[in-house]
Amino acid sequence: MEGTGGDLGGQRNWGPDDAPGLLARASLTMLPWPLPLASSALTLLLGALTSLFLWYCYRLGSQDMQALGAGSRAGGVRGGPVGCSEAGGPSPRGPGEPGEGPRTEGLVSRRLRAYARRYSWAGMGRVRRAAQGGPGPGGGPGVLGIQRPGLLFLPDLPSAPFVPRDAQRHDVELLESSFPAILRDFGAVSWDFSGTTSPPRGWSPPLAPGCYQLLLYQAGQCQPSNCRRCPGAYRALRGLRSFMSANTFGNAGFSVLLPGARLEGRCGPTNARVRCHLGLKIPPGCELVVGGEPQCWAEGHCLLVDDSFLHTVAHNGSPEDGPRVVFIVDLWHPNVAGAERQALDFVFAPDP
């Protein structure tokens, strides 16, 4: 190749044989800096981008872990008992009080997003709406204002104060067949309920006058000492198909109501569960009113109650009649799908 000073702008006639040389010289003149320096800069840029990506992943993971653990520490998403709402039932607020607002709603939403990232959003339509809407009027006012779950309202669930026995046939029949064993367990842990002395080991202090509880499961956590003392009841619980045993909405145990005691109207924390009441000792004068509908227990038989409805419990009998005793288990609402149960177990997991 010849040209004036080797310059590409030199005056001469170029031919096809000169093409490789021209391309080589053009590429050299277009490089803004030497090739080794460009390679080093590119390496540094890729390293910086990788570090930034790793930092972002770390921050995202930290936020997820904080969302999964902060609820139980702050008390923001708990379904455990904090009031005597008939058998270990959580009743965080009164029937007309609102939910905890943005704090609880945001925590439930964050936990649900963490679940979806790990698994899937498939089948999560109702749960997602429940997490976004929250309880009370924002998440669904219920039926004529008498169904007001305090923490989680799952939309589009069939609503009725009392649920047909056939909806949970297997669990109902298992509990009723276990009635003799459960009654024997109650006799082994019972006491005089006089109130003059402290409750024996395993019994909760009276959360309301005349209301005592001995829980085998409390807020989704097994109480080992109580389970060992009640082997028949524990065996029955282990055989249930829809027991909320891994969810803070899930409780199971004995509920005792003394003569003259009354639990005024209240609503449970969620409509995603159904309370199964197995009558053990039912003296005259006992009454249960759920959503304005009166009902009564029967010894050896189960009664399925949606306690997200406003409900009242009373023992109007005389002292000679003795206490009313029921064994209560929290079951999943029959219309909550399997994928929804799994997601809610993740969101409302018991404290570690």
Side-chain angles (χ1 to χ4, degrees), residues 237-291:
L237 291 176
R238 297 291 293 176
L240 299 178
R241 293 177 179 173
S242 55
F243 175 37
M244 302 179 79
S245 59
N247 193 300
T248 56
F249 292 136
N251 306 275
F254 299 99
S255 173
V256 175
L257 198 65
L258 301 184
R262 182 179 181 86
L263 301 177
E264 296 296 339
R266 60 190 66 208
C267 294
T270 181
N271 65 330
R273 76 179 185 189
V274 171
R275 308 214 103 164
C276 182
H277 293 207
L278 173 64
L280 299 180
K281 294 185 177 183
I282 312 299
C286 295
E287 186 180 45
L288 170 65
V289 180
V290 183

Side-chain angles (χ1 to χ4, degrees), residues 75-76 92-106 133-140 148-153 268-269:
R93 286 166 292 280
E97 298 176 8
E100 294 194 20
R103 183 167 67 92
T104 298
E105 178 184 334
R148 301 187 65 85
L151 188 57
L152 179 77
F153 183 87

Side-chain angles (χ1 to χ4, degrees), residues 64 66-72 76-79 103-116 118-121 124 127-128 130-132 151-152 154 246-249 332 339-352:
D64 287 348
Q66 291 171 3
L68 294 176
S72 55
V77 181
R78 281 188 58 86
R103 183 167 67 92
T104 298
E105 178 184 334
L107 181 57
V108 172
S109 296
R110 290 197 300 273
R111 289 187 174 190
L112 187 58
R113 287 196 298 270
Y115 171 85
R118 180 177 296 185
Y119 301 104
S120 169
W121 280 113
M124 294 296 103
V127 178
R128 195 170 189 177
Q132 292 172 348
L151 188 57
L152 179 77
L154 197 62
N247 193 300
T248 56
F249 292 136
W332 284 103
E340 295 173 323
R341 296 181 185 186
Q342 180 177 331
L344 291 176
D345 277 344
F346 183 93
V347 173
F348 294 97
D351 293 342

